[in-house]
Amino acid sequence: MSSPLTGIFKFVMAAAVIGGGVLAVNAVLDHMTRDQRTAERRSLLQRNADLSLSTLAPGSVLPCLDGGAGDAVETACEKSVFASPESAASAVAYTGARLALLVDAAEFAQSEPSITEAFARARRAIELDRYGIAAHVLATDGCTADQCAAFALLHDTTVLKANLKAQVFDQYVSRYAEGWSKSQAVVEKTPAAPAPVARAPEQAPAGQAAAGQPVSSKYDFPSAASIPPVSIMNAEPALPKGTAEPKADPKAEPKAEGEPTVPVPPKRPQAQAATPPAR
């Protein structure tokens, strides 16, 4: 028979095993949670770094959205931001990405409040809201000057609410839209470069065939078989009998060396004297 102590011992051992398992599971879950939080934190910081790097691209107008550079600089920035529909659209897209990042960072900060310091610059740019772009993005999401969930992300919403009421971004677009239309009209009226004129192929001179082209059938050339072979090693054939080489005239003056010999024409026959009539 088992004693009561044995039963108690078994119960304690079972409880210890169960408790150890629970602790092990909790440790694993805690480790997984910490890994997940670390990955989320790393992702948020990487997104923030990527947005900051995008402002450093050559010719980018995105640094103008941070403000605080002075009136002269901000006036020039205004012309750059609204220089074309494409530049204005890129500014809207960048501001929308910045607002989405602040929303995710605020949600993550509920468990790790220290992360909010990493996004202080982005939050300040939204609060300044240069050219009313942030107000425009929030308005497209249904925000008004009286009610908007994004206000909880910011410390100062005075400028943002004023831009929502006045629709400042739309005013900037109206101011520069006429210039966009004129620029587009100029581009469309610019004549295109004339296409290169194809030149007619040059004709070869008469009697000369172009390289790579067959000779016309109207020309009849002898075949190679009909031409007798010629050898430069055989002696010249002898002259026919009765044909003597012309003798040099002893009375002729000697020619200077190198002077060409001019052939002497044959003598003309002398006319015979007429026979006198008989007396």
Side-chain angles (χ1 to χ4, degrees):
M1 294 179 61
S2 60
S3 63
L5 293 176
T6 303
I8 295 173
F9 177 76
K10 291 181 178 179
F11 177 78
V12 171
M13 290 297 297
V17 171
I18 295 174
V22 171
L23 291 176
V25 171
N26 289 336
V28 172
L29 293 176
D30 182 67
H31 181 71
M32 293 176 61
T33 302
R34 283 189 285 108
D35 288 347
Q36 183 179 1
R37 301 295 293 178
T38 302
E40 291 178 1
R41 180 187 181 92
R42 186 182 302 112
S43 176
L44 290 172
L45 295 177
Q46 185 62 45
R47 287 168 58 188
N48 190 38
D50 291 342
L51 284 175
S52 298
L53 288 176
S54 65
T55 64
L56 303 179
S60 175
V61 300
L62 301 180
C64 295
L65 305 181
D66 291 341
D71 294 339
V73 175
E74 291 182 1
T75 300
C77 278
E78 175 188 326
K79 296 179 180 179
S80 300
V81 171
F82 296 96
S84 66
E86 293 78 10
S87 60
S90 66
V92 171
Y94 174 78
T95 303
R98 194 174 240 177
L99 278 168
L101 178 59
L102 285 178
V103 171
D104 294 340
E107 182 179 355
F108 184 83
Q110 293 178 2
S111 58
E112 294 188 24
S114 60
I115 197 175
T116 56
E117 296 299 328
F119 301 93
R121 178 183 176 186
R123 183 173 60 252
R124 181 58 179 167
I126 297 299
E127 292 174 349
L128 291 175
D129 193 21
R130 292 297 302 165
Y131 319 114
I133 298 176
H136 171 75
V137 174
L138 293 176
T140 57
D141 291 337
C143 286
T144 63
D146 299 327
Q147 185 177 4
C148 184
F151 292 163
L153 307 175
L154 310 173
H155 300 323
D156 186 2
T157 60
T158 304
V159 177
L160 200 59
K161 291 180 178 179
N163 290 345
L164 277 167
K165 289 181 179 180
Q167 298 180 350
V168 175
F169 178 76
D170 294 338
Q171 296 181 22
Y172 279 107
V173 171
S174 300
R175 182 186 306 172
Y176 288 93
E178 184 178 356
W180 299 343
S181 302
K182 291 181 179 179
S183 300
Q184 186 65 24
V186 171
V187 172
E188 293 177 354
K189 291 181 179 180
T190 302
V197 180
R199 297 179 59 185
E202 297 182 358
Q203 298 181 355
Q208 180 181 356
Q213 296 182 358
V215 182
S216 176
S217 59
K218 67 180 181 179
Y219 299 105
D220 186 12
F221 297 98
S223 64
S226 64
I227 302 176
V230 178
S231 176
I232 62 174
M233 302 302 295
N234 297 334
E236 296 182 0
L239 295 175
K241 293 182 179 181
T243 304
E245 294 183 359
K247 298 182 179 180
D249 188 359
K251 297 182 180 181
E253 297 180 357
K255 301 295 182 179
E257 184 178 357
E259 182 179 355
T261 304
V262 180
V264 180
K267 295 182 179 181
R268 298 176 62 182
Q270 299 293 332
Q272 296 181 0
T275 305
R279 292 185 180 178

